[in-house]
Amino acid sequence: MSTTTAEQWGYADPSSVAAYQAPAVDESARVSDGYQRISTETALRMGRLQAWYDVRSSLPLVVADMAMAASAAALAAAAGHWAGESVPAWFVLGVVAMTLLLQHSQSLYPACGTTYSIEFRRVLKSCFLVCAGTAIGLLFAAHSSALPWTCWIVLCITLTLLLSIIRPIVRRLLATSTWWTQPVLVIGSGERAARLFDRLQQTRNEGLRPVGIVFDQLTHWTSSLKSGNSIRSTSHAQNQWQNSAMARAIVDRAGSDQKLHIGPISALEEILGDAKACRVVVADANRQDMRSFQSFHGIPHVTVPVQWDHYPTESVRIVEADGQIEMHCRTNLTCPHALLAKRWMDLLLVVSTSPIWVPVILLIGLMIRVFDPGPVFYRQMRVGRYRQPFLAIKFRSMVCDADQKLAAYLDAHPELRAEWAGTHKLKNDPRITRLGAFLRKTSLDELPQLLNVLVGEMSLVGPRPIIDCGDYDREYIEQHPKVFRMYQMVRPGITGLWQVSGRNGTSYQQRIHFDRIYLHNWTLGMDIFILWRTIKTAIFREGAC
């Protein structure tokens, strides 16, 4: 197999691109058009290399988790001794051992390709099991003496906080190091492959690092160059120009801090060897041969796309029965125990934090009265569970004559009518008061909706409440009836997946997409994760208008 040089492709920096030509392929080794079987020798070599990658990626996380668990256990033991409690000698070592064992059982080492949302919920589950196991151990060790409650409570709080906060920071710091991230090749052609490359590049904290693109010579490639030219491979000369354009486009996206490997699918085995990659991610979802695992048999990790946009993704199980592959989906939206637990969590959190938010509501109400005389609250009819209307309460953040001021403003600026018609929002809304702008940026304007939660009209977490009035949210109701049917099965939420995923920086279609993901995959753990993320979103004002 021959490797071309970057100069032959017309690329300026030969050290940053490894380009490949299609090799002569033995027909007996061909799987389908353009594909070549991975040899047994190469497959076994990649298996050994993948095992080393997993150890190398896991070790820093194991050390970090060990340090966090030991710190939490030491603090808990110190608190127990301070309170005059008897803490067994095995306490610190036992907590560390249980933490590492349960983190491993939750597939958190090395957890490459695991999103922050899933990692957080797995860590939460590990912490719960560690605390439960520790409680049982302390109970047996206590004998006639009292259970060291102070020690146990401090452990539960510190272990959960340290692992939830420090672990993502450690992964983000490690993502800057090439040795920690595992190399992955993107297989596909066109802008779809380039977008997948971008996503992997932007989420290196998940432990994966894109090192190149393997393309299909027979398909159309649209480059991301400024000229926007579309290039089709029809001759050797055009091939060279196409590869040159592709190399420049991908290197421009990725930066020049790493060597990229770009070549045809027929040179996949050679590219895998040169890039020392044991993972491939397929971008083309529309081609059957690209979605077939058999085409890439022998590669340790293969990710293939599936068209599951309207199915649950986190609670799904793939099983083989009677010679067929079955997909088992489960939803919690109809589970009475899960819904009851969600309601109890809402009430527990709202009531227990009332000494904090009640004085804040009183203070903000007083400020509105002083700086902008008029009603303190703004009530708007929204669609609730079972499509029952309810009045959502918010702090008034606009002037009292908001409707008249909006009409006059749009008459004076007709170019903004399209923006208002599309989103019913204006980036520079003249109706918003100074205090109202602050309340919106900090999301404090929605604090009174805790009263809606108390009476059962809303939940802390859920899809954003929609408006069934005039042309408000008509697209949601009429064009996405399946999502709207699921929406009616739950209480709308003060916060939700949309609010912590970009909020006003996203489009209306993306908002509906986030609602679909939430409703398909809802669990109590997802609610806890969204509440956790809401704190960060509110502090840094992410996506606030």
PDB file of all heavy atoms in Angstrom, residues 270-285:
ATOM      1  N   GLU A 270      -4.524   0.462   6.503  1.00  0.00           N
ATOM      2  CA  GLU A 270      -3.257   1.204   6.565  1.00  0.00           C
ATOM      3  C   GLU A 270      -3.409   2.465   7.408  1.00  0.00           C
ATOM      4  O   GLU A 270      -2.532   2.800   8.216  1.00  0.00           O
ATOM      5  CB  GLU A 270      -2.808   1.572   5.150  1.00  0.00           C
ATOM      6  CG  GLU A 270      -1.487   2.345   5.133  1.00  0.00           C
ATOM      7  CD  GLU A 270      -1.132   2.815   3.735  1.00  0.00           C
ATOM      8  OE1 GLU A 270      -1.943   2.625   2.805  1.00  0.00           O
ATOM      9  OE2 GLU A 270      -0.043   3.399   3.580  1.00  0.00           O
ATOM     10  N   ILE A 271      -4.534   3.174   7.243  1.00  0.00           N
ATOM     11  CA  ILE A 271      -4.747   4.416   7.998  1.00  0.00           C
ATOM     12  C   ILE A 271      -4.882   4.113   9.482  1.00  0.00           C
ATOM     13  O   ILE A 271      -4.339   4.833  10.334  1.00  0.00           O
ATOM     14  CB  ILE A 271      -5.993   5.154   7.470  1.00  0.00           C
ATOM     15  CG1 ILE A 271      -5.803   5.511   5.998  1.00  0.00           C
ATOM     16  CG2 ILE A 271      -6.269   6.404   8.283  1.00  0.00           C
ATOM     17  CD1 ILE A 271      -7.051   6.090   5.345  1.00  0.00           C
ATOM     18  N   LEU A 272      -5.601   3.048   9.830  1.00  0.00           N
ATOM     19  CA  LEU A 272      -5.726   2.668  11.233  1.00  0.00           C
ATOM     20  C   LEU A 272      -4.365   2.389  11.856  1.00  0.00           C
ATOM     21  O   LEU A 272      -4.096   2.786  12.997  1.00  0.00           O
ATOM     22  CB  LEU A 272      -6.622   1.428  11.365  1.00  0.00           C
ATOM     23  CG  LEU A 272      -8.136   1.626  11.198  1.00  0.00           C
ATOM     24  CD1 LEU A 272      -8.828   0.280  11.060  1.00  0.00           C
ATOM     25  CD2 LEU A 272      -8.708   2.400  12.372  1.00  0.00           C
ATOM     26  N   GLY A 273      -3.502   1.714  11.103  1.00  0.00           N
ATOM     27  CA  GLY A 273      -2.175   1.417  11.616  1.00  0.00           C
ATOM     28  C   GLY A 273      -1.329   2.659  11.797  1.00  0.00           C
ATOM     29  O   GLY A 273      -0.671   2.836  12.833  1.00  0.00           O
ATOM     30  N   ASP A 274      -1.337   3.545  10.816  1.00  0.00           N
ATOM     31  CA  ASP A 274      -0.528   4.762  10.913  1.00  0.00           C
ATOM     32  C   ASP A 274      -1.038   5.702  11.993  1.00  0.00           C
ATOM     33  O   ASP A 274      -0.247   6.355  12.696  1.00  0.00           O
ATOM     34  CB  ASP A 274      -0.514   5.489   9.565  1.00  0.00           C
ATOM     35  CG  ASP A 274       0.281   4.737   8.512  1.00  0.00           C
ATOM     36  OD1 ASP A 274       0.976   3.771   8.894  1.00  0.00           O
ATOM     37  OD2 ASP A 274       0.203   5.097   7.322  1.00  0.00           O
ATOM     38  N   ALA A 275      -2.367   5.792  12.138  1.00  0.00           N
ATOM     39  CA  ALA A 275      -2.949   6.698  13.140  1.00  0.00           C
ATOM     40  C   ALA A 275      -2.980   6.079  14.526  1.00  0.00           C
ATOM     41  O   ALA A 275      -3.300   6.759  15.499  1.00  0.00           O
ATOM     42  CB  ALA A 275      -4.370   7.086  12.725  1.00  0.00           C
ATOM     43  N   LYS A 276      -2.638   4.779  14.615  1.00  0.00           N
ATOM     44  CA  LYS A 276      -2.708   4.043  15.873  1.00  0.00           C
ATOM     45  C   LYS A 276      -4.103   4.174  16.499  1.00  0.00           C
ATOM     46  O   LYS A 276      -4.254   4.352  17.708  1.00  0.00           O
ATOM     47  CB  LYS A 276      -1.630   4.513  16.848  1.00  0.00           C
ATOM     48  CG  LYS A 276      -0.211   4.174  16.396  1.00  0.00           C
ATOM     49  CD  LYS A 276       0.816   4.614  17.419  1.00  0.00           C
ATOM     50  CE  LYS A 276       2.205   4.093  17.067  1.00  0.00           C
ATOM     51  NZ  LYS A 276       2.639   4.445  15.717  1.00  0.00           N
ATOM     52  N   ALA A 277      -5.108   4.097  15.643  1.00  0.00           N
ATOM     53  CA  ALA A 277      -6.500   4.219  16.076  1.00  0.00           C
ATOM     54  C   ALA A 277      -7.141   2.846  16.180  1.00  0.00           C
ATOM     55  O   ALA A 277      -6.883   1.970  15.342  1.00  0.00           O
ATOM     56  CB  ALA A 277      -7.291   5.094  15.112  1.00  0.00           C
ATOM     57  N   CYS A 278      -7.964   2.676  17.206  1.00  0.00           N
ATOM     58  CA  CYS A 278      -8.697   1.418  17.395  1.00  0.00           C
ATOM     59  C   CYS A 278     -10.195   1.659  17.432  1.00  0.00           C
ATOM     60  O   CYS A 278     -10.965   0.767  17.798  1.00  0.00           O
ATOM     61  CB  CYS A 278      -8.264   0.747  18.701  1.00  0.00           C
ATOM     62  SG  CYS A 278      -6.497   0.437  18.800  1.00  0.00           S
ATOM     63  N   ARG A 279     -10.603   2.870  17.086  1.00  0.00           N
ATOM     64  CA  ARG A 279     -12.015   3.241  17.086  1.00  0.00           C
ATOM     65  C   ARG A 279     -12.364   3.913  15.766  1.00  0.00           C
ATOM     66  O   ARG A 279     -11.558   4.705  15.261  1.00  0.00           O
ATOM     67  CB  ARG A 279     -12.344   4.206  18.233  1.00  0.00           C
ATOM     68  CG  ARG A 279     -12.187   3.631  19.626  1.00  0.00           C
ATOM     69  CD  ARG A 279     -12.383   4.719  20.670  1.00  0.00           C
ATOM     70  NE  ARG A 279     -12.246   4.227  22.018  1.00  0.00           N
ATOM     71  CZ  ARG A 279     -13.261   3.861  22.806  1.00  0.00           C
ATOM     72  NH1 ARG A 279     -14.504   3.960  22.344  1.00  0.00           N
ATOM     73  NH2 ARG A 279     -13.061   3.423  24.040  1.00  0.00           N
ATOM     74  N   VAL A 280     -13.550   3.626  15.257  1.00  0.00           N
ATOM     75  CA  VAL A 280     -14.068   4.336  14.094  1.00  0.00           C
ATOM     76  C   VAL A 280     -15.498   4.770  14.402  1.00  0.00           C
ATOM     77  O   VAL A 280     -16.233   4.087  15.121  1.00  0.00           O
ATOM     78  CB  VAL A 280     -14.037   3.476  12.806  1.00  0.00           C
ATOM     79  CG1 VAL A 280     -12.616   3.123  12.420  1.00  0.00           C
ATOM     80  CG2 VAL A 280     -14.895   2.235  12.957  1.00  0.00           C
ATOM     81  N   VAL A 281     -15.870   5.926  13.882  1.00  0.00           N
ATOM     82  CA  VAL A 281     -17.222   6.448  14.018  1.00  0.00           C
ATOM     83  C   VAL A 281     -17.748   6.704  12.613  1.00  0.00           C
ATOM     84  O   VAL A 281     -17.135   7.454  11.850  1.00  0.00           O
ATOM     85  CB  VAL A 281     -17.258   7.747  14.845  1.00  0.00           C
ATOM     86  CG1 VAL A 281     -18.687   8.255  14.979  1.00  0.00           C
ATOM     87  CG2 VAL A 281     -16.646   7.520  16.215  1.00  0.00           C
ATOM     88  N   VAL A 282     -18.850   6.075  12.257  1.00  0.00           N
ATOM     89  CA  VAL A 282     -19.422   6.193  10.920  1.00  0.00           C
ATOM     90  C   VAL A 282     -20.386   7.362  10.891  1.00  0.00           C
ATOM     91  O   VAL A 282     -21.250   7.498  11.766  1.00  0.00           O
ATOM     92  CB  VAL A 282     -20.128   4.892  10.508  1.00  0.00           C
ATOM     93  CG1 VAL A 282     -20.695   5.013   9.103  1.00  0.00           C
ATOM     94  CG2 VAL A 282     -19.166   3.715  10.599  1.00  0.00           C
ATOM     95  N   ALA A 283     -20.248   8.217   9.869  1.00  0.00           N
ATOM     96  CA  ALA A 283     -21.088   9.412   9.762  1.00  0.00           C
ATOM     97  C   ALA A 283     -22.275   9.215   8.838  1.00  0.00           C
ATOM     98  O   ALA A 283     -23.325   9.828   9.033  1.00  0.00           O
ATOM     99  CB  ALA A 283     -20.257  10.600   9.269  1.00  0.00           C
ATOM    100  N   ASP A 284     -22.136   8.382   7.813  1.00  0.00           N
ATOM    101  CA  ASP A 284     -23.183   8.227   6.808  1.00  0.00           C
ATOM    102  C   ASP A 284     -24.275   7.286   7.305  1.00  0.00           C
ATOM    103  O   ASP A 284     -24.056   6.075   7.416  1.00  0.00           O
ATOM    104  CB  ASP A 284     -22.606   7.691   5.497  1.00  0.00           C
ATOM    105  CG  ASP A 284     -21.683   8.699   4.839  1.00  0.00           C
ATOM    106  OD1 ASP A 284     -21.866   9.900   5.105  1.00  0.00           O
ATOM    107  OD2 ASP A 284     -20.789   8.284   4.086  1.00  0.00           O
ATOM    108  N   ALA A 285     -25.457   7.855   7.576  1.00  0.00           N
ATOM    109  CA  ALA A 285     -26.568   7.049   8.086  1.00  0.00           C
ATOM    110  C   ALA A 285     -27.457   6.503   6.981  1.00  0.00           C
ATOM    111  O   ALA A 285     -28.315   5.664   7.229  1.00  0.00           O
ATOM    112  CB  ALA A 285     -27.419   7.890   9.042  1.00  0.00           C
TER     113      ALA A 285
END
